[in-house]
Amino acid sequence: MMRLFNAGLEDEKAFDWGDVFVLLLLVALLYGGARLAFQAPEVIQGPTISLSPSMLPYYTLRSVGRMAGAYLLSMIFTLFYGRTAAYNRTAEKVLMPLLDVLQSVPILSFLPVVLLGLSALLPVSLAAELASVVLIFTSQVWNLTFAWYQSLTTIPRELREASAIFRLNTWFQFKTLELPFAAISLVWNSMMSWAGGWFFLMAAEIFTVGQRDFRLPGLGAYLHEAANQQNMQAIGWGVGALVLTVVLLDQFVWRPLMAWTERFKVEMVESDTPPTSWFYDLLNGSRILRWFGQRVMHPFMEAIDRFMLRIEPPGPPQEKPARLSWPLRLGPVAVGGAGLYFAYRAVLMLLTMAPEHWAQVALGVAATLARVLIALLVALAWTIPVGVIIGTNQRLATLLQPLVQVIASVPATAIFPVFVLLLVRLPGGLNLAAVLLMLMGTQWYLLFNIIAGASAIPQDLKYTARLIHLSRWERWRTLILPGLFPYLVTGAITASGGAWNASIVSEYITFGGKALHTVGIGSLIAQATAAGDYPLLLAATLSMILAVVLINRLFWRRLYQTAEERYRME
């Protein structure tokens, strides 16, 4: 069913100079932000958050606006970054390690440095807005980029050969082959990006550092204020507004996109029950939109096509050139030099730490790693069967998809205090609560990717499996699991990275004016942030990044290479 083949790719090293370069760059950025943080105002007054239900439409629009802005930046970054990494082997040696590092950066520990640094340079309100968009961007972009890269590297060879026969240039190959082939995966990962974005939006809108209040008007600030005042009615109004927003987005954005992308499935037989959308059907029947498409959009797209043909004549684009242009070669040298200087300054800062603090960091990394593994195993145990059921049964998907989106989009930080109150009195209760919050925040990365993988399995292969009377186990072994494998790796990479990030809010919890914490690197980062201990914050953050990068390079990247070499639809 799934063709196994060896692409003859080079064995990938666990670490190379690309990793060293990006780690030095990250150390430099962390140090530079920490130095700027010392110049931030000592006291910053935050806005007053009203719990009146009449303010919810305004707060919702502010939150959705931040999400939309971050998502637009994420898609632009994804399309350019993922394509460059997939088709330029020299750039890939730097870009993919950099992507591993970036998706593992504990952004909630980086946020105070970003906020304090920006507030030293810009007005506080603008700095807070920019920092919130950056935080949401980092929660949305990595799974999109990994999904786009995975799609480009698993396009069937016969489709590549067809594009070469038709002499498609870069633009037409992107428009007619790459984007359609990746459409299903991008739509499902976009839904996941928005669901994950809500989680981090709440954190971005309620951020405070000592006497510096960086809160922003929005749904997150509303829910946080309601929880602090223990106003259950206001919590209900806030969660209700969030659920309504998610349902509206599902009906007016995601479901129409799913119905539209069904045409791009690589299959010879059409599905019996394709995705449907009443809003998509309504738009298709609109004469005004049809006139707009014929008179405006069609001529506009033709003009773009002619322009792109003038820029690049017909012919297949050259993949993975051996050399980079001189600006791309000199740029890393200049940045690397600056990175070495700031890395030296960062080392001097780290040398001020006491030995017992380094022991706490090592113990914290080990404890958090154990929780991440438990959360990932639990997530895999239920998301694989449930994701396959939703992805292969359209009738069931029609019922469950909105429910899954709503549950995934409700930020765990909004309802987590309830679980803490229930679990904290049990033996090991806070450890159990920390694993639960990691699971609530990251299992959806797996589920949405598995649904996308199951949805992309061609209908003709499913019919063939039935015709030759494969048993249920044989169908899973020869069709479903090989078809899911690339999507499963993508989901697992982003889920594990998200679990490490979630440790910062799951291992150190404030509720009702009290702080509860357990042993873990996330707890150390949160404590260092609250105390303004920048050397400990830098050490804990870099330790988490190094741990995640090592796991990605030694384990996940090898699975990615296996997916590219052995499991693709051919």
Side-chain angles (χ1 to χ4, degrees):
M1 298 284 180
M2 302 289 300
R3 182 180 175 185
L4 306 183
F5 71 100
N6 292 317
L9 297 180
E10 301 175 80
D11 291 335
E12 190 171 355
K13 296 179 180 179
F15 259 90
D16 54 29
W17 288 108
D19 298 285
V20 176
F21 171 76
V22 297
L23 284 173
L24 282 175
L25 178 60
L26 195 62
V27 169
L29 291 174
L30 279 169
Y31 175 77
R35 295 303 304 174
L36 279 175
F38 288 118
Q39 304 174 21
E42 290 295 329
V43 179
I44 295 175
Q45 293 293 121
T48 301
I49 305 299
S50 170
L51 296 184
S52 170
S54 62
M55 294 297 295
L56 278 173
Y58 171 70
Y59 290 156
T60 301
L61 286 176
R62 291 287 297 267
S63 295
V64 171
R66 295 182 190 110
M67 293 276 287
Y71 177 74
L72 180 62
L73 291 176
S74 298
M75 283 304 300
I76 294 172
F77 177 92
T78 290
L79 295 177
F80 283 96
Y81 193 101
R83 198 175 193 282
T84 303
Y87 292 154
N88 189 315
R89 185 165 295 279
T90 304
E92 183 184 32
K93 293 178 181 179
V94 174
L95 295 182
M96 291 314 294
L98 179 60
L99 193 62
D100 284 339
V101 172
L102 290 174
Q103 73 98 24
S104 66
V105 170
I107 191 62
L108 290 176
S109 72
F110 203 77
L111 180 62
V113 174
V114 174
L115 268 174
L116 294 174
L118 288 176
S119 64
L121 302 174
L122 301 171
V124 173
S125 59
L126 179 59
E129 289 287 354
L130 287 176
S132 70
V133 171
V134 169
L135 179 64
I136 301 165
F137 165 83
T138 57
S139 69
Q140 292 181 336
V141 69
W142 313 131
N143 60 302
L144 284 171
T145 306
F146 276 116
W148 174 238
Y149 174 81
Q150 170 247 309
S151 296
L152 293 179
T153 55
T154 56
I155 292 176
R157 286 184 173 180
E158 58 266 28
L159 296 183
R160 291 281 187 202
E161 291 168 359
S163 70
I165 291 171
F166 285 106
R167 296 172 53 81
L168 299 182
N169 65 5
T170 301
W171 166 249
F172 281 96
Q173 182 169 299
F174 168 79
K175 175 183 171 182
T176 61
L177 173 61
E178 297 164 354
L179 201 56
F181 184 80
I184 295 176
S185 179
L186 285 177
V187 169
W188 278 102
N189 274 279
S190 294
M191 285 188 268
M192 180 60 248
S193 291
W194 273 73
W198 287 113
F199 180 93
F200 287 94
L201 174 75
M202 303 299 154
E205 291 182 347
I206 64 175
F207 203 83
T208 57
V209 181
Q211 296 184 346
R212 305 179 181 99
D213 189 346
F214 291 102
R215 287 182 302 167
L216 293 168
L219 276 176
Y222 183 93
L223 285 168
H224 184 259
E225 185 67 23
N228 278 343
Q229 297 186 21
Q230 299 185 13
N231 188 332
M232 301 307 296
Q233 184 179 11
I235 290 176
W237 280 111
V239 172
L242 177 60
V243 169
L244 179 61
T245 303
V246 172
V247 171
L248 291 176
L249 285 172
D250 172 70
Q251 292 296 311
F252 292 101
V253 179
W254 304 125
R255 193 170 291 275
L257 282 175
M258 287 182 59
W260 177 69
T261 56
E262 181 69 11
R263 67 182 69 183
F264 301 128
K265 287 182 70 172
V266 181
E267 60 185 4
M268 301 296 292
V269 180
E270 187 177 355
S271 174
D272 294 333
T273 55
T276 59
S277 166
W278 64 269
F279 187 60
Y280 179 71
D281 295 338
L282 185 67
L283 293 179
N284 266 345
S286 170
R287 293 184 178 180
I288 295 176
L289 285 181
R290 194 157 49 242
W291 174 88
F292 180 79
Q294 293 173 352
R295 300 288 184 175
V296 180
M297 289 305 300
H298 185 65
F300 177 70
M301 292 305 299
E302 283 190 337
I304 292 179
D305 291 345
R306 288 193 297 270
F307 176 74
M308 299 305 294
L309 281 173
R310 285 198 299 270
I311 293 178
E312 182 181 355
Q318 293 184 355
E319 298 184 0
K320 300 183 184 290
R323 298 176 61 84
L324 290 173
S325 59
W326 67 266
L328 293 179
R329 294 198 301 269
L330 290 180
V333 173
V335 174
L340 284 173
Y341 171 75
F342 285 112
Y344 167 74
R345 301 292 299 181
V347 169
L348 294 181
M349 180 183 287
L350 293 175
L351 289 176
T352 62
M353 281 183 53
E356 56 267 22
H357 285 166
W358 284 110
Q360 289 179 348
V361 168
L363 180 61
V365 169
T368 301
L369 174 61
R371 296 189 188 100
V372 169
L373 290 176
I374 294 171
L376 194 58
L377 290 174
V378 173
L380 284 169
W382 80 266
T383 54
I384 292 178
V386 172
V388 170
I389 290 173
I390 295 176
T392 57
N393 189 327
Q394 189 54 45
R395 291 189 181 90
L396 192 60
T398 303
L399 298 175
L400 293 182
Q401 177 197 325
L403 180 62
V404 167
Q405 285 189 60
V406 168
I407 297 174
S409 298
V410 174
T413 48
I415 59 176
F416 190 59
V418 178
F419 291 104
V420 173
L421 292 177
L422 295 175
L423 297 174
V424 73
R425 294 180 178 87
L426 300 175
L430 196 54
N431 283 312
L432 181 60
V435 172
L436 181 62
L437 184 57
M438 284 183 183
L439 185 65
M440 293 168 64
T442 61
Q443 59 193 349
W444 312 112
Y445 290 102
L446 276 167
L447 181 63
F448 280 81
N449 274 282
I450 291 169
I451 294 173
S455 302
I457 296 176
Q459 187 67 30
D460 44 340
L461 294 186
K462 298 176 188 176
Y463 285 155
T464 304
R466 293 177 193 168
L467 286 173
I468 61 178
H469 301 292
L470 291 181
S471 66
R472 179 172 298 181
W473 164 241
E474 288 174 332
R475 191 181 302 127
W476 273 82
R477 184 176 62 85
T478 61
L479 174 62
I480 296 175
L481 288 178
L484 291 180
F485 190 78
Y487 299 87
L488 194 60
V489 174
T490 298
I493 289 176
T494 51
S496 60
W500 284 93
N501 262 299
S503 69
I504 298 170
V505 292
S506 63
E507 295 175 349
Y508 186 92
I509 304 150
T510 57
F511 181 67
K514 297 180 180 179
L516 304 173
H517 61 87
T518 186
V519 176
I521 194 67
S523 175
L524 271 181
I525 289 172
Q527 292 179 62
T529 300
D533 189 342
Y534 295 111
L536 180 58
L537 177 63
L538 179 63
T541 301
L542 289 176
S543 298
M544 179 186 286
I545 292 170
L546 188 59
V548 178
V549 170
L550 279 171
I551 293 170
N552 285 352
R553 300 296 288 175
L554 296 175
F555 183 69
W556 294 121
R557 290 294 299 162
R558 294 177 186 271
L559 289 183
Y560 237 130
Q561 186 176 0
T562 301
E564 182 178 347
E565 290 179 353
R566 301 186 61 188
Y567 300 108
R568 70 167 76 175
M569 292 288 181
E570 295 253 293

